[in-house]
Structures are given as C-alpha cells and as structure tokens.
Amino acid sequence: MENRKVRLRFAPSPTGPLHIGGVRSALYNYLFAKKHGGDFILRIEDTDQNRYVEGAEAYIVKSLAWCGIHPDEGPGIGGEYTPYRQSERKELGVYQKYADQLVASGNAYYAFDTAEELDAMRKKLEIAKASIQQYSHATRGEMKNSLSLPEEEWKQKIANGEPFVVRLKVPAGEEIRFTDVIRGEVVFNSDVVDDKVLLKSDGMPTYHLAHIVDDVLMDITHAVRGEEWLPSAPSHILIYRYLGWEDKMPQYAHLPLLLKPDGNGKLSKRDGDRLGFSVFPLEWKDPSSGEISSGYRETGYFPEAVVNMLALLGWNMEGEKEIFSMEELIANFSFEHVHKAGAKFNPEKAKWFNEQYLKEKPDAELAELLKPILLKTFNDKEFKDEFVVEVCRMMKDRVTFVSEIATKGSFFFVSPNYTAENLAKISKTITEEAINAILDVIGRDITDAANLEASLKEVATAQNLKIGEFMKFLRISIVGELSGPGVPDLILLLGANEAKSRVGECWKLMN
RNA sequence: GGUCCGUUCGUCUAGGGGUUAGGACGCAAGAUUUUCAUUCUUGUAACACGGGUUCGAUUCCCGUACGGACUACCA
C-alpha cells in the first residue's frame, strides 16, 4: 500500500450534465493525483440503464477538458485497465464472479421480493414506527430470500427464471469503523446498515459492488467522493472485508457538499435558474425536453477562473493569496485543508475571480475572443485588429466578461444612441461657438492624449466653461452616457472624423 | 422517525487554551479621475447555546439547538 503509485478516479454517472459540484470532485481528485505524481482516471458508472442520458458522457468528457482536467486513462483514452465503462465491464463478466463469491462465502444471499413487497414492508415498518426501516438482519427473515426460504424453494425459483437480486448479508451488532481522510475516524453500528443490493435482477451490479470491484481492479489508492456517500461507507467496508480485500482498500475521503447560495440545501439546477447563475460548466440541452441550461463557458467565464473558484470552495491554501494557476493548485493541494462543512456557493465571488483573470489577460488575447462576438453583435461589420486590441485595453478594467466589452463598449463600434435622459444631463451653457472650437481642436493633428486633453481644456477656459460641464458634454456626445474610458483617448482611437460627427450629431439633438 | 456528518463576520475561510479573532467577496466611506471602472486607504461584521475540564475556553469533552446528507433493484 505504502509504495503503490497514487491513482485516483472520478467516476460519474452519465445521467445528465455534470454539475459544478461534480467538477469540483473531479478537480480535487485530479489535484491530489498530480500532486503525488499519480494517475487520474475517468470511469463511467453507467450501471443504471433507466437513467442513462444520451450525450451525458460526451458532455462530461468535454467539461473536464475545458477545465483543464485531463484524465490519464478513461473511455476514449485507453489505459492498462480498459474498459472504463462499467456497462462494458459487466458484459465482460467482471462483477458477477465477485457477487458469486460473496454468496458462496455466506456474506450475500439471493432475494426474490417484488417492488410491491418491498414497499409493503417499508410501509409496515413505518406504521409500526420501527427505528430501523430497512431490509436488514431484523427483517430479512420475513422476506423472500435464500436465507428465509427452504433451499429447494429458492433453488426452484432460480431454476424457473424468477428475477432475483443479490444482497449483502450485514451482521447484527457489529461495530464498523474506518478512517476518513477528511473526517477522521467514523463509527457505525451494523444494526443500522441495510442489506444493500449488490447485483440487480438485470444482472447489472449496483454502485456499491461495482465501484469496489473496479477500484481494486484498477489499483485505486484514494476514493474521493461527495459526502452523500458517507452513510453507505460501512456497507463498502464490509464488502472489502468479505472479499478479502482489506489490504487493497483505497483510503476514503468524503468531500463537503456545495450548498445553495441562499437558504438551505444542496446546490441544484433550479437554484441557478432562480438566482441567475450557471450550475454547469458547459451549456446543456436536455435531449428529451429540449430545455437549455446555461454554462460557465457560454456565460463568458474563463476555465482558469472557474477552476480557481471551485478549488477554493471548501479548500484553502495557507497565506492570503487567492489567485492560483492549476500548477500552483497541484503543488499545494492536500486534504488537510479541506473544510469539513458544506460550502454555500457565492455567485458574486465567482464573478470576482473572472474579473481578476480578465485583467491579467493580454489585450491581444482578449481581442481574439472578442472578435467573433463583435461579428455577431454588429452584423459582420469589420474592425481592424489594432483597434479591437485597443478597445480591450481600455475596457478590461470595466467588465466581468469579454462579451461585455461589446455591450458596455458598444460606442466603440457604432454611434451612441443619445437618449433624452442623457442629453438632459448636458449643461445649457454650451454654445455653438464652443462647439466650433471643439471641432477645430479635434481636427488638428494631435496624436497624444495628454496634449489633446490640454487643448480641449484650453477651449473650455477660453469659452468660459467649467471643465466639468465641458467634459460632460464631450463624454455624452462620444459615449452617449457618463461612463467609460478617458474622452481624449476615445477621440484619438475613434479618429477625428468620427469624433467630429458625434459632437455635431449630439449638438444637433440638443437644439 | 433512524443513522452519520457538520456549526468562526451576510458568504468563502485562517486560526487555535491566554490574539486588538486575520484574509477574501459583498457593502459603506475617503483618496485618485472630466465620468465610470481599476487601484489605494479606511470602515462594517463572526467564534450557535448550555454545562463541564482549566488559573483561563472561541479553541478540549458532553449535551442541546440548528443545518446537511443518507435511509431505492439511483448513483
């Protein structure tokens, strides 16, 4: 165990788009694996055919790739432990023999109960207010299984082709303890552990059996998963024990959950819709309903920002720095600094992270990202590369997303729309004479913003206008409103002709 | 109902038997700026409660409350 190569896996079910909490789980697995020079494996746990969703696996793969989380092994990638889809492994008979082994050793049994019968049992226990309302040592004697039925009878049932499942036989009155990497020692009494189904009637293993068999067969050293799995951990410990695999058992680490920003409960898709943020890395279109859920990528987030934000949601690094590259995260990651309590998701902080990354991006890179957006927003109007780069330089401190450069900075690309409300903000002291003086200054061949500003201020002084009022007029005529980069910079970038035309247009509308 | 996990500013968190309980987001104010934003400065605001243990507890222990997860032939 000590000298084994570190191997971690992320094992999602293809039942829909990968949730941002799932991305975080994958990230923590990846960071730990890479920190220790180990492998990160993607395994698809598609043992539930009823919940299988077309396109979900491809979505998962794309999402991880977008985040910069690259599996060393997985479907479509290959590896020594192929295949990496549990449905395919089942076809190979990977799980059946371990179920058989457990039955043979007396640690599992066949059960024939129908869904209705199981339901009836639970109802009965609920009405009786039984403290344990499960299929367990306390109830299995009254159910239809190979422990309660005479041997000839249950063998006959199997011979007749009656459907059955294999259940784990959990002993009564035992203490089951294990050490969680994040939580320390956790103890359960086996009396409250149910006889979990290991093999379903369709021959598919359940998660409980499948993940254990695969973790051992794939030499997984650390099983890092969400806290929702903690209650079933004792079942898993038992399975390892009964299979004689205690020495091969990976170290378990149960991650805190991601919670709703407001109120209580697990973060869900509905919260995103309700509060206006994404809970998925990429946009997802539900194949059956056609409903579209927004993604971080489409919203305009940089993958580095999402990764950075996610990493710090429930984990922290010593020191006061908060911006970390993937390499830095890998170099510093450890489970010791994973917080035990669930973390409420904070959309505001997510934006802040993106702003930090946006500011650090080179202008030219932003321009490349902006160009396709401009094409779409302004009907294929063409703009020079240097111009777009300059726009990015001026706007990057004022936006959260690149796309906002096109919206908040639309005045760079098309003439502003002068609203009556904004025109009303202009002082009535502006005279035609002043306008002519402005047009004259703009028309001069000035290429330096400071010089231009000085010249404009000279006009203001000569015209007996307050600098503030004067600049306000210029700003509204160029930008259309009272915000944005410095007026002289804008005039120089837009060019004398465009600037003069806007000043003229604005003046015309004022009168 | 039962089991398990958890609880430091509104949020993410640091810390840990003796601290002015630190940082970040947010919010507020100020400085800078023609404006907006950035940036800088400052402020705002927290150890759930009750018992122990101790000279001393937010920190350790036990309860309570509250929150969460699980309680499927789903993962």
Side-chain angles (χ1 to χ4, degrees):
Chain A
M1 182 86 198
E2 297 311 316
N3 296 320
R4 279 210 272 162
K5 184 177 192 190
V6 167
R7 287 172 58 82
L8 283 83
R9 50 38 176 201
F10 176 57
S13 288
T15 55
L18 184 59
H19 185 274
I20 201 82
V23 176
R24 191 188 59 162
S25 287
L27 177 64
Y28 284 14
N29 272 283
Y30 179 72
L31 294 177
F32 188 84
K34 292 300 136 189
K35 154 104 184 181
H36 296 279
D39 298 324
F40 172 71
I41 293 102
L42 175 65
R43 187 173 71 217
I44 300 296
E45 309 220 325
D46 54 350
T47 52
D48 185 356
Q49 299 143 323
N50 299 322
R51 294 210 308 159
Y52 181 82
V53 172
E54 198 61 46
E57 182 188 316
Y59 178 93
I60 291 164
V61 170
K62 270 199 282 182
S63 297
L64 294 181
W66 182 69
C67 291
I69 299 171
H70 305 295
D72 298 293
E73 299 165 25
I77 301 163
E80 274 179 62
Y81 302 81
T82 194
Y84 292 90
R85 276 186 206 97
Q86 288 185 333
S87 59
E88 292 171 17
R89 299 174 67 75
K90 182 258 176 186
E91 290 306 314
L92 262 28
V94 169
Y95 310 105
Q96 181 72 46
K97 62 178 173 190
Y98 297 106
D100 292 344
Q101 187 186 323
L102 287 167
V103 172
S105 63
N107 292 306
Y109 59 93
Y110 303 113
F112 305 89
D113 316 275
T114 63
E116 292 73 34
E117 287 166 338
L118 291 170
D119 238 33
M121 171 200 68
R122 289 190 189 105
K123 281 243 168 61
K124 200 175 122 194
L125 290 169
E126 197 185 328
I127 290 165
K129 292 197 194 293
S131 64
I132 302 164
Q133 305 175 1
Q134 298 168 316
Y135 205 120
S136 69
H137 70 95
T139 49
R140 69 170 83 102
E142 287 140 49
M143 304 304 288
K144 289 185 190 151
N145 54 59
S146 60
L147 259 27
S148 64
L149 264 24
E151 192 171 338
E152 318 86 75
E153 195 178 333
W154 65 259
K155 283 195 167 162
Q156 189 55 242
K157 279 177 180 291
I158 291 179
N160 291 347
E162 278 190 39
F164 65 90
V165 300
V166 175
R167 282 183 183 273
L168 182 67
K169 186 182 168 192
V170 177
E174 262 185 42
E175 217 164 59
I176 305 169
R177 56 181 68 225
F178 73 100
T179 304
D180 183 279
V181 177
I182 293 170
R183 281 148 221 284
E185 188 169 65
V186 184
V187 186
F188 290 82
N189 188 305
S190 68
D191 287 349
V192 300
V193 177
D194 65 329
D195 287 357
K196 286 214 172 359
V197 170
L198 265 20
L199 213 58
K200 299 185 257 188
S201 55
D202 63 0
M204 277 282 188
T206 59
Y207 169 83
H208 306 292
L209 209 222
H211 96 273
I212 288 172
V213 169
D214 286 343
D215 281 354
V216 166
L217 262 31
M218 293 182 177
D219 284 323
I220 299 301
T221 55
H222 302 260
V224 182
R225 71 218 316 193
E227 196 186 356
E228 70 266 28
W229 292 106
L230 200 47
S232 54
S235 303
H236 304 154
I237 304 296
L238 249 23
I239 297 172
Y240 276 105
R241 188 181 299 167
Y242 297 153
L243 250 16
W245 281 343
E246 277 176 300
D247 59 327
K248 291 178 180 162
M249 188 169 93
Q251 287 193 269
Y252 276 103
H254 291 94
L255 263 21
L257 265 16
L258 248 35
L259 273 18
K260 299 175 193 299
D262 61 340
N264 308 311
K266 251 207 285 196
L267 181 66
S268 73
K269 175 177 139 23
R270 294 191 70 88
D271 300 312
D273 299 342
R274 187 169 53 85
L275 272 11
F277 64 89
S278 307
V279 293
F280 302 118
L282 272 35
E283 188 174 276
W284 166 259
K285 184 175 178 187
D286 188 297
S288 56
S289 71
E291 188 192 350
I292 290 175
S293 302
S294 72
Y296 278 87
R297 182 179 64 183
E298 290 72 17
T299 305
Y301 279 92
F302 295 114
E304 308 95 291
V306 173
V307 164
N308 196 151
M309 183 256 310
L310 247 23
L312 259 37
L313 214 47
W315 172 78
N316 70 88
M317 209 187 286
E318 284 172 64
E320 289 172 4
K321 202 181 143 182
E322 286 202 291
I323 301 298
F324 302 106
S325 65
M326 186 70 96
E327 290 66 36
E328 290 172 302
L329 292 172
I330 289 170
N332 290 284
F333 188 79
S334 87
F335 287 116
E336 278 159 49
H337 283 98
V338 173
H339 204 71
K340 288 186 178 73
K344 284 189 183 174
F345 184 76
N346 184 346
E348 288 305 314
K349 187 105 186 207
K351 284 186 187 172
W352 179 81
F353 274 110
N354 209 60
E355 287 161 8
Q356 301 310 304
Y357 279 88
L358 181 45
K359 266 185 277 196
E360 292 306 315
K361 293 265 181 199
D363 303 328
E365 201 177 319
L366 296 175
E368 286 309 309
L369 294 169
L370 181 60
K371 271 153 63 178
I373 298 170
L374 292 178
L375 242 35
K376 224 189 279 176
T377 313
F378 301 108
N379 302 320
D380 297 328
K381 200 171 162 188
E382 294 273 355
F383 301 100
K384 278 198 183 134
D385 280 5
E386 311 93 80
F387 177 79
V388 180
V389 170
E390 265 307 284
V391 171
C392 288
R393 183 182 67 76
M394 291 186 193
M395 291 300 288
K396 68 202 287 193
D397 280 346
R398 292 159 223 272
V399 297
T400 305
F401 305 115
V402 171
S403 62
E404 287 178 314
I405 298 177
T407 51
K408 287 188 176 174
S410 63
F411 54 85
F412 280 109
F413 312 105
V414 290
S415 299
N417 176 30
Y418 303 104
T419 64
E421 190 193 347
N422 280 325
L423 288 172
K425 291 175 186 165
I426 300 171
S427 167
K428 297 288 174 283
T429 57
I430 307 285
T431 60
E432 179 143 19
E433 202 186 335
I435 299 297
N436 288 331
I438 290 169
L439 293 175
D440 175 55
V441 169
I442 293 175
R444 285 184 217 155
D445 189 25
I446 301 176
T447 53
D448 176 86
N451 285 346
L452 180 55
E453 182 172 351
S455 305
L456 286 169
K457 282 179 175 172
E458 272 169 33
V459 172
T461 315
Q463 297 292 325
N464 251 324
L465 291 167
K466 283 187 197 152
I467 302 279
E469 299 294 347
F470 179 79
M471 294 305 273
K472 199 185 269 183
F473 162 73
L474 266 179
R475 173 164 296 283
I476 288 189
S477 64
I478 301 292
V479 176
E481 56 183 289
L482 293 174
S483 67
V487 168
D489 292 294
L490 291 175
I491 292 174
L492 289 177
L493 214 217
L494 289 168
N497 288 342
E498 178 65 21
K500 281 159 82 173
S501 130
R502 289 188 189 186
V503 167
E505 179 67 16
C506 186
W507 173 244
K508 208 169 83 192
L509 286 168
M510 283 170 64
N511 297 288

